[in-house]
Amino acid sequence: EDVCQIGTHGFAIDEQLNLNFVRDLARKHGVGFGGNLKLTLALSLGLISSREDAIVSLAAGGQHGYTFAPGGDMPYDVPVEHMDQAIEVRDWYEQFYAKYPESW
């Protein structure tokens, strides 16, 4: 809540924060927010699906004020195929995911 009140236009979060909670706070204060792709589990190690992680983040972030991004600095050795999977989901999301009117 404090971050939203300091006069920023937006902020980024890491993978440990609940994106639904952050989204609701950001919208309450009219600021943008970004991040939350699981850098370690999905993108770096592939222990969870990069596709599933990406769709969860996109669906939670919504259409307004959200920047789809990793939840931290990406190391140089992130497998390209994991990033490709996240990008494929982003493209699919843009084309096919239902767009509900959002108020904020």
Side-chain angles (χ1 to χ4, degrees):
E1 186 99 24
D2 292 341
V3 171
C4 294
Q5 295 173 344
I6 62 171
T8 185
H9 294 282
F11 60 94
I13 60 169
D14 72 10
E15 62 192 82
Q16 302 303 318
L17 296 174
N18 181 297
L19 190 57
N20 293 317
F21 174 75
V22 171
R23 176 202 59 218
D24 293 346
L25 277 178
R27 290 188 178 161
K28 174 181 170 185
H29 294 281
V31 298
F33 61 104
N36 210 246
L37 285 173
K38 291 178 177 34
L39 184 59
T40 304
L41 294 176
L43 297 178
S44 291
L45 301 177
L47 296 176
I48 63 172
S49 166
S50 295
R51 287 182 176 96
E52 290 176 21
D53 184 42
I55 196 66
V56 167
S57 291
L58 286 163
Q63 299 292 314
H64 303 286
Y66 174 61
T67 301
F68 179 63
D73 294 338
M74 286 186 34
Y76 70 92
D77 60 348
V78 168
V80 173
E81 60 268 17
H82 295 171
M83 286 305 306
D84 288 344
Q85 291 169 0
I87 292 167
E88 287 170 14
V89 168
R90 185 214 51 208
D91 294 343
W92 177 89
Y93 178 85
E94 287 297 318
Q95 186 172 2
F96 297 110
Y97 201 78
K99 311 292 190 288
Y100 295 103
E102 298 184 48
S103 60
W104 87 289

